Amino acid sequence: MLDKNYDPQTLEAHWYRHWEERGHFVPAASDAGNGAYCIMIPPPNVTGSLHMGHAFQDTIMDALTRYHRMKGEQTLWQAGTDHAGIATQMVVERLIEAEGKTRHDYGRDAFIERIWEWKAESGGTITRQLRRMGASLDWAHERFTMDEGLSEAVREVFVRLYEEGLIYRGKRLVNWDPVLHTAVSDLEVLSEEESGFMWEMRYPIVQPPGAAGPQYLVVSTTRPETMLGDCAVAVNPDDERYKHLIGAFVELPLTGRRIPIIADEHADPEFGTGCVKITPAHDFNDHQVWLRHRDETAIAEQPHGGLINIFTPDAAIRANEPEEGQLLPAAYIGLDRYEARKRIVADLEAAGLLAAVKDHRLQQPRGDRSGAVIEPYLTDQWYVRVAPLAEPAIAAVENGDIRFVPDNWKNTYFEWMRNIQDWCISRQIWWGHRIPAWYDSEGNVYVGRSEDEVRAKHGFGPEVTLRQDEDVLDTWFSSALWPFSTLGWPEDTERLKTFYPTSVLVTGFDIIFFWVARMIMMGLKFMGDVPFREVYIHGLVRDKNGDKMSKSKGNVLDPIDLIDGIDLESLVEKRTKGMMQPHLAEKITRDTRKDFPDGIPAFGTDALRFTFAALATTGRDIKFDLQRTEGYRNFCNKLWNASRYVLMNTEGQDCGLGSEPIELSAADRWIRAELDRTIGAVTESIDVYRFDLAAQAIYDFTWNEFCDWYLELSKPVLTGAQSSDAAKRGTRRTLVRTLETLLRLAHPIMPFITEEIWQKVRPLAGVEGDTLMLAPYPTRDPSAEDAQAVGEIDWVKQCILGIRRIKGEMNIAPGKPLPILVVDATEQERRWLETARPYLDFLARTESITVLDDESQAPESAIALVGAMKILIPMAGLIDKDAELKRLDKEIARLTDDVARTEAKLANPAFVDKAPAAVVDKERAKLADHAAAIANLQAQRAKIAAL
């Protein structure tokens, strides 16, 4: 028997341990003939902890995995984590700072060893939390992007791409983090609006003494220090104000250099003065302008062809190289960029060249790890030449080899892929896959899988000194290989043959470019096939108000806190700990105490998973409201208590497993038909990734049909003295079979509670098996369809609800037996009144049922309509006249409103012409039914009023 109270914490820990220890997460070789199904987990950072986005995504992936595993397919959900280059290095650098050391004190090898030690001690947080979510990942084959096998795959891909000319080293602009001293990807740059200034500067026009016309061009900038690297001023070729100046020069203030005025569409005549300073080594747009004009003499003859870098890696003004002379003014050399800004602005003002300073709101790019303002910076980096790889990746989506769900996301993919830039893959940090390139003393580069391979290939003996490139590869490089490297590539393993291409990728829309597209390119290049057949794109989990969850807003929810619960003080401390702005901490404390006066109760994993499934619509935003989770915790309790009722009435009883005769009631046949319909709805919904619809179908059937109706309808059979043994046997068998099937149906979304109950119900239903997660998923049974039983029980429900409604509105005790009169009953309904009498007596508390041929024989009564049939409850001694008139007026008003809505719909040509004929006919029939019902109610009202 189940415990009296549902305690998710105890049973969740027990069953997860049971599943993992028994090896149930490993793909079963016995399922090999049924096809393969594979999902790759988007590898979470090894430094990370579970957030709501992970929990949502992992619920979807686990539901899919469990569903296909139960369908008998050889199913793999590949486990693994990402080495998270910058994030992990920062974590360990902070740890050694506490020792008073830096990574340079350790040296590269010792520092990397220290990171491996940290990973062994502290790197498993997120994998423990994934287990708490019930994730049935194949932990026995867990991978790490820095493990030896994946490292070999990374080296192999790098070498092959290099040998084909698809990887090269070049000087390009990158997003540079001056604190971390590394290039960072666009995804690692956060742009937020901040207050700043716009400086307007006068650049003197070079012209003969006494010449007419303006003396200056005025340019605007938010970064005046970058003027030291200007190579031109651009004006629009169609701007009449400046056409005559194109080809002339201006003096670049403070530098002693002259730079040309050039014509370029980048200059917008409507913005500012229409003049734009061009600093190609420190601005991405300016760099594009320089590429278009670099062959023009006035630019080509400048130092470095006009591509002048002014910064050190720390974003300070660099020193001049010996051959540069005084290219950068000595007064600013060595100054931090912001100190240089102050000096330059002051010097411009002193020279009369500062036209204005204006307040300005700007998008400030900051590194997501360091918080430092990112600088576009010119450095030598390694790049992947992407265009040749992009073409087949675009074609794979165009021709349907890969399908996006929802379909509209393919447009976002195409937009990016058709405007793709070469991919900067080098990072100036120590933790990561070191670039497999070596340099000799003259700077020649040699790429190979190892130094030994390079020496052997080029015939280098020990007298030749080789130095390996200091950089490591972008973390996304190894992630791009994830679908095949985790399965053993470059070896041709059985797992690779079985599970590649994988079935579906489940991911958020924010990394379509950074990860999805790159996996498609690499999979096609190295496997000759797409990495997955479908890409299910889900929305972003936001708070109940639609705001993004963030530490600064104080609205972050920790999934583990929702599972285990957390008291108010601990929640406040968690939300405010380590905040940089104390005034925000005060507001967050206040809001948290208001929103969670008692903290957060423990909901358990299944309630949280069901919430995520119910919210998994096709929209971009997922508004998470704890009240939904509370409702689904109540749903878990409802299922638990219903299961206790089933077990109390079936354990130790004959449940029809033998050869004794079975008699099925209308209710037994009805619930079987309703369950079959629900199986169809759930299966169809999961197959098209509509987990919200699947969850709703499970919820509606469980709460409404099974718990609220069938369990109640079973009671008169199980407890009635008139019920035969065969009838009781039939109802017991239906109870346990329905519950057992329902548990299999719901298991992918709520695995723990279903497993616990199934273990108790399984033997009563005659089912074998060690675990529910390997039981077959329910399929539709054509023989379960039973229109007659469905019609009868739907009629019974309407009768019971009609009688209960009258009792409620007339303040008659629900348990008080009443005589019932029936008029206008069809022959079918007259038969049902006899066969369904036990249901009506038990659930509607009918004292007697009398069928009248003539309504005029009836005394004044309260009326309930069941189609055209009327149920009358005589009012003598029962009725409150005013209350009954009020009830009738309310019902007449409700039906009148419905009639008006239906008439408006039928008067709308857009509906009548476009809707299916059956739908239009249904609306017309409803209109006729409502009109007849209103006439009946009005007649009844006249009778009551006459009392």
Side-chain angles (χ1 to χ4, degrees):
M1 188 61 191
L2 292 172
D3 292 340
K4 184 175 181 181
N5 296 316
Y6 165 54
D7 175 21
Q9 273 69 27
T10 305
L11 64 90
E12 287 168 9
H14 166 74
W15 284 116
Y16 197 90
R17 190 165 54 249
H18 174 90
W19 295 328
E20 188 170 3
E21 287 174 354
R22 302 278 177 109
H24 292 324
F25 301 153
V26 178
S30 58
D31 292 332
N34 300 327
Y37 186 85
C38 177
I39 299 179
M40 292 282 159
I41 192 171
N45 287 352
V46 69
T47 56
S49 56
L50 196 74
H51 57 60
M52 293 294 279
H54 287 136
F56 173 82
Q57 188 178 71
D58 295 326
T59 295
I60 300 302
M61 286 186 281
D62 191 54
L64 285 167
T65 301
R66 289 177 182 274
Y67 171 68
H68 285 274
R69 189 186 286 124
M70 292 176 76
K71 286 176 72 177
E73 297 167 53
Q74 194 174 9
T75 303
L76 168 65
W77 185 13
Q78 178 63 52
T81 48
D82 191 283
H83 65 278
I86 294 174
T88 306
Q89 179 159 318
M90 284 185 70
V91 166
V92 177
E93 284 198 78
R94 279 198 292 267
L95 289 175
I96 63 174
E97 277 173 18
E99 304 168 8
K101 294 181 179 179
T102 70
R103 62 185 165 114
H104 300 286
D105 295 324
Y106 270 75
R108 185 170 191 142
D109 291 344
F111 179 71
I112 289 171
E113 186 58 39
R114 182 76 175 80
I115 293 179
W116 281 108
E117 288 171 11
W118 173 86
K119 179 187 179 291
E121 295 165 8
S122 309
T125 300
I126 199 154
T127 57
R128 289 192 297 275
Q129 292 171 327
L130 282 166
R131 287 172 166 88
R132 294 298 312 280
M133 284 299 299
S136 58
L137 286 147
D138 182 5
W139 297 113
H141 298 89
E142 183 179 359
R143 304 304 301 264
F144 178 55
T145 49
M146 287 280 286
D147 70 30
E148 187 45 50
L150 268 63
S151 297
E152 181 190 353
V154 166
R155 289 190 294 270
E156 186 66 28
V157 165
F158 188 98
V159 171
R160 290 195 200 178
L161 290 176
Y162 180 81
E163 288 174 347
E164 289 186 43
L166 294 174
I167 281 183
Y168 65 92
R169 186 166 169 79
K171 195 178 280 290
R172 293 282 196 86
L173 273 192
V174 296
N175 294 313
W176 183 261
D177 188 314
V179 170
L180 299 179
H181 288 186
T182 182
V184 292
S185 72
D186 289 345
L187 193 64
E188 294 157 325
V189 178
L190 303 176
S191 289
E192 293 191 358
E193 195 175 81
E194 297 181 12
S195 293
F197 299 98
M198 181 75 77
W199 286 269
E200 294 185 353
M201 305 181 295
R202 298 187 180 104
Y203 284 15
I205 299 170
V206 178
Q207 53 191 340
Q215 292 183 292
Y216 307 97
L217 287 184
V218 176
V219 299
S220 303
T221 182
T222 57
R223 298 154 66 218
E225 65 280 7
T226 62
M227 65 166 292
L228 302 179
D230 286 0
C231 75
V233 173
V235 297
N236 192 285
D238 298 323
D239 193 332
E240 295 295 338
R241 294 171 295 176
Y242 306 117
K243 263 187 177 181
H244 65 289
L245 292 174
I246 294 169
F249 287 80
V250 293
E251 298 281 358
L252 183 60
L254 313 179
T255 65
R257 290 195 291 121
R258 290 183 174 185
I259 57 175
I261 300 169
I262 61 174
D264 195 276
E265 298 283 350
H266 173 60
D268 181 357
E270 303 298 320
F271 184 77
T273 62
C275 303
V276 182
K277 62 189 281 300
I278 304 300
T279 319
H282 297 290
D283 184 283
F284 290 103
N285 291 324
D286 292 1
H287 191 76
Q288 293 301 309
V289 175
W290 174 81
L291 289 173
R292 293 192 287 272
H293 296 271
R294 61 182 171 179
D295 294 331
E296 295 171 14
T297 303
I299 290 179
E301 289 181 349
Q302 292 183 41
H304 308 291
L307 193 61
I308 301 166
N309 170 43
I310 68 168
F311 285 135
T312 67
D314 294 314
I317 305 300
R318 69 172 178 85
N320 291 304
E321 297 294 330
E323 68 277 8
E324 291 177 324
Q326 297 300 306
L327 175 63
L328 300 177
Y332 311 121
I333 289 173
L335 296 181
D336 169 77
R337 55 183 162 170
Y338 297 117
E339 183 58 33
R341 178 179 298 177
K342 287 181 191 173
R343 295 270 193 97
I344 287 169
V345 168
D347 290 348
L348 287 169
E349 188 170 23
L353 296 177
L354 185 64
V357 182
K358 298 177 180 177
D359 290 336
H360 182 68
R361 297 288 290 174
L362 71 157
Q363 288 292 323
Q364 190 77 279
R366 292 184 179 273
D368 67 343
R369 300 293 177 188
S370 67
V373 174
I374 297 298
E375 284 289 346
Y377 186 58
L378 195 63
T379 60
D380 286 313
Q381 302 286 347
W382 289 90
Y383 290 87
V384 174
R385 201 181 309 279
V386 180
L389 300 172
E391 282 184 35
I394 291 169
V397 177
E398 285 179 329
N399 64 25
D401 290 342
I402 296 174
R403 187 172 75 92
F404 278 84
V405 181
D407 184 65
N408 60 289
W409 286 111
K410 72 183 181 189
N411 299 323
T412 305
Y413 172 81
F414 288 142
E415 174 68 22
W416 191 70
M417 291 295 281
R418 287 169 179 151
N419 296 283
I420 200 164
Q421 302 291 315
D422 284 358
W423 173 18
C424 176
I425 54 171
S426 46
R427 297 291 181 267
Q428 290 66 51
I429 56 174
W430 287 354
W431 173 243
H433 298 282
R434 196 163 174 183
I435 287 175
W438 285 261
Y439 301 89
D440 62 20
S441 57
E442 295 178 2
N444 298 308
V445 64
Y446 307 95
V447 168
R449 293 162 186 81
S450 66
E451 183 177 340
D452 288 345
E453 181 183 278
V454 168
R455 289 183 178 278
K457 181 178 178 180
H458 297 280
F460 294 150
E463 73 283 356
V464 177
T465 301
L466 293 178
R467 171 183 57 84
Q468 188 172 358
D469 196 300
E470 295 287 327
D471 290 355
V472 300
L473 286 163
D474 176 14
T475 303
W476 293 101
F477 189 87
S478 48
S479 300
L481 320 182
W482 189 250
F484 54 91
S485 64
T486 51
L487 298 174
W489 189 92
E491 300 299 321
D492 190 22
T493 64
E494 280 305 312
R495 278 171 75 89
L496 191 62
K497 288 185 226 175
T498 302
F499 295 112
Y500 191 95
T502 67
S503 306
V504 62
L505 177 74
V506 179
T507 187
F509 60 79
D510 51 341
I511 56 172
I512 289 177
F513 320 136
F514 296 97
W515 191 42
V516 179
R518 288 165 180 170
M519 281 191 288
I520 295 172
M521 289 189 283
M522 292 299 189
L524 288 166
K525 177 67 179 172
F526 291 97
M527 292 296 297
D529 202 349
V530 296
F532 26 73
R533 298 297 183 197
E534 294 181 308
V535 182
Y536 171 58
I537 302 289
H538 60 74
L540 181 70
V541 180
R542 298 179 178 272
D543 71 9
K544 64 181 180 181
N545 301 314
D547 292 326
K548 187 174 180 179
M549 292 188 181
S550 70
K551 179 85 173 173
S552 61
K553 286 194 174 99
N555 60 352
V556 172
L557 290 170
D558 181 338
I560 304 302
D561 290 342
L562 305 190
I563 293 171
D564 292 340
I566 184 171
D567 66 80
L568 175 59
E569 298 309 320
S570 300
L571 181 61
V572 168
E573 182 185 1
K574 192 172 199 174
R575 286 184 156 192
T576 56
K577 189 175 181 181
M579 294 214 61
M580 303 299 288
Q581 299 129 306
H583 68 282
L584 287 179
E586 290 169 19
K587 181 181 184 301
I588 290 165
T589 298
R590 196 165 55 246
D591 291 348
T592 302
R593 291 187 184 282
K594 178 187 166 197
D595 292 343
F596 306 100
D598 302 314
I600 296 174
F603 294 115
T605 300
D606 286 320
L608 179 59
R609 285 174 60 120
F610 205 91
T611 308
F612 284 133
L615 293 172
T617 64
T618 56
R620 285 176 68 104
D621 295 327
I622 299 155
K623 292 183 182 178
F624 190 90
D625 188 345
L626 268 184
Q627 289 187 333
R628 294 285 293 268
T629 313
E630 188 175 349
Y632 295 129
R633 166 63 198 247
N634 295 339
F635 175 63
C636 291
N637 281 328
K638 184 92 168 176
L639 177 60
W640 186 266
N641 291 331
S643 302
R644 281 177 53 80
Y645 167 82
V646 171
L647 292 169
M648 280 190 285
N649 285 281
T650 54
E651 283 184 328
Q653 304 283 333
D654 183 352
C655 293
L657 295 180
S659 57
E660 296 296 318
I662 293 286
E663 183 183 313
L664 296 180
S665 68
D668 297 334
R669 289 158 37 224
W670 165 76
I671 197 66
R672 186 166 172 247
E674 286 297 305
L675 176 61
D676 188 65
R677 181 186 59 77
T678 304
I679 290 168
V682 172
T683 304
E684 288 166 18
S685 298
I686 293 177
D687 285 343
V688 294
Y689 304 103
R690 288 303 303 269
F691 293 92
D692 55 328
L693 301 181
Q696 191 62 46
I698 291 168
Y699 182 95
D700 287 345
F701 174 81
T702 304
W703 193 291
N704 301 328
E705 317 301 349
F706 185 64
C707 296
D708 283 359
W709 281 108
Y710 180 65
L711 298 190
E712 295 302 311
L713 292 167
S714 73
K715 290 175 182 177
V717 179
L718 295 176
T719 60
Q722 306 304 315
S723 302
S724 67
D725 287 345
K728 291 182 178 179
R729 200 176 292 121
T731 294
R732 288 194 204 101
R733 189 178 79 174
T734 304
L735 279 167
V736 295
R737 282 189 176 181
T738 303
L739 179 56
E740 191 274 336
T741 305
L742 172 59
L743 295 169
R744 285 187 283 129
L745 191 67
H747 177 77
I749 295 175
M750 41 199 319
F752 294 111
I753 189 172
T754 52
E755 180 77 81
E756 178 75 11
I757 298 169
W758 185 81
Q759 293 290 343
K760 302 288 193 297
V761 172
R762 174 185 60 74
L764 301 174
V767 174
E768 299 294 327
D770 173 63
T771 173
L772 172 55
M773 66 177 285
L774 298 181
Y777 200 74
T779 54
R780 295 206 69 168
D781 177 3
S783 70
E785 189 175 334
D786 195 326
Q788 188 174 358
V790 169
E792 180 174 352
I793 297 303
D794 283 349
W795 177 87
V796 167
K797 287 161 65 178
Q798 288 182 60
C799 292
I800 293 167
L801 290 172
I803 295 167
R804 285 176 176 174
R805 187 171 65 250
I806 291 173
K807 284 183 173 182
E809 291 173 354
M810 296 176 63
N811 292 320
I812 300 169
K816 181 179 175 65
L818 294 178
I820 301 298
L821 306 177
V822 175
V823 295
D824 295 338
T826 64
E827 284 303 314
Q828 176 67 79
E829 288 169 334
R830 288 170 183 254
R831 285 194 296 274
W832 283 345
L833 282 168
E834 291 182 22
T835 58
R837 182 67 186 271
Y839 300 139
L840 298 173
D841 286 353
F842 189 85
L843 295 175
R845 295 293 187 262
T846 50
E847 184 179 77
S848 63
I849 298 177
T850 305
V851 180
L852 300 179
D853 292 322
D854 183 358
E855 188 177 349
S856 64
Q857 302 170 353
E860 296 303 329
S861 304
I863 184 171
L865 295 174
V866 178
M869 188 186 87
K870 298 173 187 171
I871 296 175
L872 306 177
I873 297 180
M875 294 177 289
L878 292 175
I879 190 166
D880 177 332
K881 177 180 173 181
D882 290 338
E884 180 59 8
L885 287 172
K886 189 174 179 182
R887 184 189 77 81
L888 287 166
D889 286 342
K890 185 177 175 183
E891 183 66 6
I892 290 168
R894 182 184 71 79
L895 288 171
T896 302
D897 286 346
D898 275 355
V899 165
R901 277 193 295 272
T902 306
E903 285 176 338
K905 191 182 285 188
L906 291 169
N908 182 358
F911 170 73
V912 176
D913 296 342
K914 293 179 181 176
V919 173
V920 176
D921 290 343
K922 186 177 178 183
E923 290 297 315
R924 287 180 175 140
K926 185 170 81 170
L927 186 64
D929 289 346
H930 281 7
I934 289 170
N936 279 324
L937 290 168
Q938 285 171 336
Q940 179 71 4
R941 191 191 187 288
K943 286 183 182 179
I944 301 294
L947 282 175

